[in-house]
Each structure stands twice: as structure tokens, then as C-alpha cells.
């Protein structure tokens, strides 16, 4: 009788669908960068100068505006790195073929989502006059590449990831002008550009070479969270690696040796000289940009590996439903901006974009102070929390029976 019961238990465990295990520190860091990301998107729709100049334009910006933008630089690299770690954790109890298929299909889904869901959130224009290929696109492409790279030995994949991250700036002097097929391919790989394809405008904002390197590095780092690695050793590795990345960034940047096409220079005062030092290239992310963002991220991963408290227990909700939050916050911000434009005397139609940037004339004079931007941002997070908590609970309760939930 006992033997039969044991056989039944083993059989049930073997045949039961795999439940995705979650690492608290990964979800928490993902939640933090998602919340910070929302600040930049609120600024883009609500700040009075958002349509006029970049917050990193040292000739026009101020300290608070610069750092409001700078802090959001951490979002995309950290999110892609964590996507790589999550891919490893998703596949550690699955075959390589199962993991590869998951990454291929999820990457394809993200490409479609960027084109038709995210683009609509930015434009509110059902005619789809333009496509802006940004971070969701980059993650999707990177996952598709990773679906092939996972078959490589981890050591080789680690080397490739470092080469893509560290060496892609050697290609900065290579240009393919015009609108030829090769120009589009080169833009997809390394150099942002605008193209017109029939009646559609396409802006390739996130060339993928360094992002593939970052997601592959994350996949290799996933091994740190596997059972044989003690927590103390994992934290030590993360702390040493993160500190080394920051030190390498400071060294290379201080002497303008290598790693970013935009070099720092002495400015009108010490504060702006520091801004120049930190004013790194994001499109595509330079080697120094990656060091400056992923170094602190690794230190944070080590530091936050502890039990949740009252605050982090709530914040983590956003990190457990990242794609749901991403889509929700885009539509909510754009809708709130549409309402704000009408309340302040502008036509709501000006918030329906017909091209990537068409709001300067139609919304001339529109916008609010940076203090208002921060208030709207805080209100947005509070507003979206109950929806994200509901979806997080729904996802946790139904993910085994409804595998499509893993794509959110």
C-alpha cells in the first residue's frame, strides 16, 4: 500500500507542469527599474520642455532635470539583464529544446507587441503612421537570438556576451548611408536611423548588438542562482563584479580612453563637468553606459537579497507582472496627458500622433513643472498598484493551467 502511494506521488510530481520559481531579489530590482522607467515616460508627456530639448542637453538642462533623465538610464540595461537571468531560471528544469522554443515564441510575441500594442500606446493612432522600435523590440530580438545561443557551452556564451558588450563601440566609425537593405540591417545591428517603408515611418531606436550581449550575460549569471551556489558566494561575486565594473567605468571615462563616442569635457562649473562625465550614449548603449548601469545593478542584487518588508512587499508586485505594467502604464500616461491637454486649453487631437514627433507646434506652451511631473508619477504608481496586484495574484493562481500567462 505504501509502495503504491509512493509511486503515485512520484508520478504526480514528474507529470505535473513546472511552476516557474521566482527569486525575490530579481523581482524586486525589476520592480524598482519599472517604477523609475515610468518617471521618464511621465516626463515625456507632462514636462513643459519635453518637446523642445533633451534633458541631457547640457546647454539647456538643469541638475534636477538631468538626473530625472539619468536615473532612468538604468532601466533598459537592468531589465534586459534580468530577462537573461529569468531565461536561465525558466530553463533549468527544462530541456534546451523547450527553453529555446519558449524564448523564440516569447521573443516573437514581444516583436508583435512592440509594433501593434506599444506603438498604439505611444501614438493613439489606429492608422499606425510610424513604428518606433524601442526596448520591447530589443528584448524580443535578443530573446530570439538567445533561443539559439542557449545551445552553446556556457563558457563560450559568456565570452561572446563580453565581446558584444565591450567591443561593439569599435564599429562606431562604420556607417551605411541611405535607405538600402544593408542600411536597414546595419541600423538594426548598431546605428539608430529613420526609414520610410511605403506609407510607414520606422525609427530604429534600439540597435540590438549590445542588447544581445546583455541578455546573454544575464543568462550566464543565472547560474549564480542555481542550487549548488551558496547565497554568500553569490553575493560576494555580485559585489566584486559590480564594483569592478564601476571602477573600470571611472578609469576609462576619466581618460576618455574608450567606450563612448561622446567624450566628457570641462564645463562652466564643477556640477556641469560632472554631468558631462555622466552624459553617456544610450542609442546604442555604449560600453561605458553598460558598465555604469550594470555595475550598480549587480551590487543592488546582492544588497536586496533579504526578506521583504512592508514597503518592498508592495513594490515587488510590479516586478512580478512587468509586461502587464509596461503596457498599462503607457496607455494610462497617454490618456492622462490627453485629458491634461484638454483641461489646459489644447486640442486632445494633438495627443494623437501622426509622426514620431509632431507635438511642438500643436502643443506649443503645453506642459507643467518638474514638481508636477513627480506628483503625476507618484499618482500613476498608486493608481496602477491595485490592478498589478490583482493580475499578479491571478497569474500566480492560474499560470500552470494557462501557460500563456508566462508571456506576461
Amino acid at each position: 500500500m505504501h509502495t503504491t502511494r509512493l509511486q503515485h506521488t512520484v508520478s504526480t510530481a514528474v507529470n505535473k507542469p513546472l511552476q516557474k520559481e521566482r527569486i525575490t531579489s530579481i523581482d524586486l530590482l525589476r520592480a524598482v527599474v519599472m517604477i523609475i522607467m515610468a518617471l521618464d515616460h511621465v516626463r515625456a508627456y507632462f514636462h513643459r520642455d519635453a518637446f523642445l530639448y533633451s534633458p541631457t542637453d547640457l546647454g539647456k538642462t538643469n541638475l534636477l532635470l538631468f538626473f530625472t533623465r539619468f536615473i532612468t538610464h538604468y532601466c533598459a540595461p537592468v531589465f534586459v539583464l534580468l530577462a537573461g537571468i529569468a531565461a536561465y531560471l525558466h530553463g533549468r528544469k527544462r530541456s534546451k529544446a523547450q527553453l529555446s522554443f519558449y524564448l523564440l515564441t516569447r521573443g516573437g510575441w514581444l516583436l508583435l507587441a512592440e509594433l501593434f500594442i506599444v506603438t498604439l500606446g505611444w501614438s493613439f493612432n489606429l492608422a499606425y503612421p510610424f513604428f518606433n522600435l524601442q526596448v520591447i523590440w530589443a528584448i524580443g530580438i535578443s530573446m530570439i537570438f538567445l533561443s539559439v545561443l542557449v545551445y552553446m557551452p556556457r563558457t563560450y556564451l559568456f565570452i561572446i556576451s563580453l565581446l558584444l558588450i565591450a567591443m561593439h563601440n569599435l564599429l562606431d566609425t562604420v556607417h551605411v548611408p541611405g535607405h538600402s537593405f544593408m542600411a536597414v540591417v546595419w541600423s538594426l545591428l548598431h546605428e539608430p536611423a529613420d526609414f520610410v517603408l511605403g506609407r510607414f515611418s520606422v525609427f530604429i531606436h534600439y540597435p540590438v548588438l549590445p542588447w544581445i550581449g546583455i541578455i546573454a550575460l544575464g543568462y550566464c549569471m543565472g547560474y549564480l542562482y542555481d542550487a549548488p551556489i551558496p547565497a554568500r558566494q553569490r553575493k560576494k561575486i555580485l559585489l566584486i563584479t559590480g564594483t569592478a565594473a564601476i571602477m573600470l567605468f571611472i578609469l576609462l571615462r576619466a581618460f576618455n580612453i574608450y567606450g563612448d563616442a561622446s567624450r566628457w569635457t570641462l564645463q562652466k562649473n564643477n556640477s556641469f563637468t560632472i554631468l558631462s562625465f555622466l552624459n553617456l550614449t544610450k542609442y546604442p548603449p555604449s560600453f561605458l553606459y553598460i558598465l555604469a548601469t550594470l555595475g550598480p545593478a549587480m551590487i543592488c542584487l546582492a544588497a536586496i537579497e533579504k526578506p521583504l518588508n512592508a514597503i518592498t512587499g508592495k513594490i515587488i508586485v510590479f516586478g512580478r507582472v512587468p509586461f502587464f505594467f509596461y503596457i498599462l502604464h503607457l496607455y494610462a500616461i497617454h490618456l492622462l496627458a490627453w485629458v491634461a491637454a484638454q483641461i489646459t486649453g489644447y486640442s486632445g487631437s494633438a495627443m494623437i500622433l501622426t509622426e514620431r514627433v509632431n507635438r511642438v507646434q500643436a502643443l506649443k506652451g503645453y506642459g507643467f513643472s518638474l514638481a508636477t511631473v513627480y506628483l503625476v508619477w507618484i499618482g500613476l504608481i498608486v493608481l496602477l498598484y491595485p490592478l498589478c496586484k490583482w493580475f499578479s495574484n491571478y497569474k500566480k493562481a492560474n499560470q500552470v493551467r494557462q501557460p500563456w500567462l508566462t508571456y506576461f
Side-chain angles (χ1 to χ4, degrees):
M1 179 177 176
H2 291 293
T3 303
T4 302
R5 185 177 299 169
L6 177 61
Q7 289 174 339
H8 174 73
T9 302
V10 172
S11 175
T12 301
V14 169
N15 293 299
K16 182 180 179 180
L18 290 168
Q19 177 75 34
K20 184 178 179 181
E21 298 179 27
R22 306 204 67 96
I23 307 296
T24 299
S25 58
I26 293 173
D27 281 341
L28 183 57
L29 182 58
R30 185 188 291 115
V32 171
V33 297
M34 297 293 286
I35 292 171
I36 293 172
M37 171 199 66
L39 171 61
D40 192 48
H41 295 163
V42 170
R43 179 197 60 79
Y45 277 97
F46 281 86
H47 189 234
R48 64 167 62 101
D49 295 332
F51 311 144
L52 303 178
Y53 60 86
S54 168
T56 57
D57 183 342
L58 299 186
K60 298 178 179 178
T61 193
N62 58 62
L63 290 176
L64 182 57
L65 181 59
F66 179 92
F67 281 107
T68 298
R69 171 60 174 165
F70 177 80
I71 190 65
T72 66
H73 282 346
Y74 288 88
C75 301
V78 172
F79 197 70
V80 175
L81 182 79
L82 297 182
I85 296 175
Y88 178 90
L89 297 176
H90 184 90
R92 61 182 172 177
K93 293 182 180 179
R94 293 164 173 83
S95 68
K96 281 290 192 291
Q98 289 174 319
L99 175 60
S100 179
F101 179 78
Y102 170 75
L103 291 170
L104 178 65
T105 53
R106 190 177 190 196
W109 153 243
L110 291 178
L111 298 187
L112 292 174
E114 178 76 271
L115 292 174
F116 299 108
I117 302 175
V118 175
T119 294
L120 184 60
W122 284 111
S123 69
F124 274 17
N125 193 330
L126 287 168
Y128 289 98
F130 69 90
F131 294 100
N132 196 11
L133 307 186
Q134 300 189 87
V135 65
I136 300 299
W137 169 273
I139 296 173
I141 289 286
S142 298
M143 283 187 172
I144 290 172
F145 274 90
L146 188 61
S147 71
V148 177
L149 294 174
V150 293
Y151 287 100
M152 298 182 65
R154 189 168 61 247
T155 301
Y156 294 162
L157 181 56
F158 180 66
I159 293 172
I160 288 175
S161 71
L162 293 183
L163 289 175
L164 287 172
I165 289 170
M167 307 302 288
H168 78 93
N169 282 115
L170 294 175
L171 302 172
D172 287 347
T173 58
V174 179
H175 307 286
V176 183
H179 292 76
S180 66
F181 173 76
M182 287 308 300
V184 174
V185 171
W186 185 241
S187 181
L188 287 169
L189 292 175
H190 188 69
E191 189 172 27
D194 287 292
F195 298 95
V196 177
L197 304 175
R199 73 175 186 86
F200 302 105
S201 296
V202 179
F203 182 64
I204 300 172
H205 214 176
Y206 276 66
V208 297
L209 277 181
W211 299 111
I212 294 170
I214 293 172
I215 201 170
L217 176 64
Y219 182 83
C220 295
M221 283 178 56
Y223 180 72
L224 296 176
Y225 293 88
D226 225 340
I229 306 295
R232 180 178 297 179
Q233 183 181 351
R234 174 173 59 252
K235 291 180 183 180
K236 183 178 180 180
I237 292 171
L238 289 170
L239 285 171
I240 292 173
T241 305
T243 303
I246 294 172
M247 292 176 66
L248 181 58
F249 158 70
I250 294 173
L251 175 64
L252 293 177
R253 187 63 168 167
F255 295 98
N256 280 325
I257 297 173
Y258 169 79
D260 199 296
S262 175
R263 300 195 169 196
W264 73 277
T265 58
L266 292 175
Q267 300 293 313
K268 59 186 179 182
N269 56 44
N270 291 337
S271 296
F272 272 75
T273 297
I274 292 172
L275 298 192
S276 178
F277 192 88
L278 296 174
N279 200 8
L280 304 167
T281 303
K282 182 179 180 179
Y283 308 112
S286 68
F287 178 42
L288 294 186
Y289 178 99
I290 295 170
L291 289 175
T293 52
L294 293 191
M298 292 178 186
I299 294 174
C300 283
L301 277 175
I304 64 177
E305 195 168 318
K306 57 183 67 173
L308 297 173
N309 57 39
I311 296 175
T312 58
K314 288 182 169 55
I315 291 174
I316 200 172
V317 167
F318 299 106
R320 288 174 175 162
V321 289
F323 185 74
F324 180 80
F325 172 79
Y326 186 87
I327 299 300
L328 202 61
H329 97 285
L330 278 184
Y331 281 81
I333 291 170
H334 199 159
L335 182 60
L336 289 172
W338 181 81
V339 172
Q342 295 201 94
I343 290 175
T344 53
Y346 295 85
S347 171
S349 61
M351 282 291 177
I352 301 175
L353 306 189
T354 57
E355 53 186 324
R356 186 168 59 87
V357 178
N358 73 324
R359 297 174 289 181
V360 175
Q361 292 304 319
L363 292 171
K364 188 175 182 179
Y366 164 81
F368 307 89
S369 68
L370 205 53
T372 301
V373 169
Y374 274 83
L375 288 175
V376 172
W377 170 56
I378 293 169
L380 176 78
I381 299 304
V382 172
L383 177 69
L384 297 186
Y385 175 78
L387 291 171
C388 290
K389 183 176 177 60
W390 165 80
F391 189 70
S392 177
N393 292 336
Y394 179 83
K395 183 178 177 181
K396 183 177 180 180
N398 296 278
Q399 189 166 297
V400 171
R401 296 191 303 273
Q402 302 179 45
W404 63 269
L405 288 169
T406 62
Y407 291 78
F408 286 82

